[in-house]
Amino acid sequence: MRSLSHLQKSICNICTIALLFIGFNIFASGLFTALSNGVVSAVLAFSRSFVFMLITMIVLPLIPGVNGIWLATPAAELIDLYDRLGLPYLNQNIQEVEDEV
């Protein structure tokens, strides 16, 4: 069985990785709010804080065990980062379709 200090180091490393993604996701949410697109910002905030976290907290503990609980936050943030990077392209395509109609 691992000692508490070894477990603490492992958890701190995992949480530090999550901080890299959290900062960008918070900035992107603020950007959409500043651009007067509150609906998109609200959907992204809800998906980040509830949907993606719920999915990763259910799935990840089944794969790597206890560390999966701690990996849920970085995984949810990474999924949200991917979602936010693809959103401007989706928004641009919607605008093009609306302009054609």
Side-chain angles (χ1 to χ4, degrees):
M1 188 168 174
R2 292 194 267 175
S3 67
L4 186 59
S5 64
H6 186 275
L7 185 62
Q8 176 191 9
K9 289 177 186 177
S10 173
I11 292 169
C12 284
N13 289 337
I14 292 170
C15 290
T16 303
I17 293 169
L19 290 175
L20 297 172
F21 306 121
I22 290 172
F24 180 78
N25 291 334
I26 290 173
F27 172 77
S29 181
L31 178 68
F32 283 113
T33 302
L35 295 174
S36 299
N37 204 343
V39 174
V40 172
S41 179
V43 167
L44 291 175
F46 178 74
S47 65
R48 174 181 164 248
S49 63
F50 185 74
V51 176
F52 297 145
M53 277 299 289
L54 184 66
I55 292 169
T56 55
M57 285 196 131
I58 291 172
V59 173
L60 285 179
L62 300 174
I63 301 167
V66 175
N67 281 338
I69 296 170
W70 297 104
L71 286 170
T73 301
E77 293 295 332
L78 186 63
I79 294 168
D80 190 44
L81 177 67
Y82 179 75
D83 186 35
R84 288 179 197 266
L85 291 176
L87 193 65
Y89 298 112
L90 178 64
N91 195 19
Q92 182 181 8
N93 290 340
I94 291 172
Q95 288 292 342
E96 290 173 0
V97 170
E98 287 178 352
D99 291 341
E100 289 176 6
V101 174

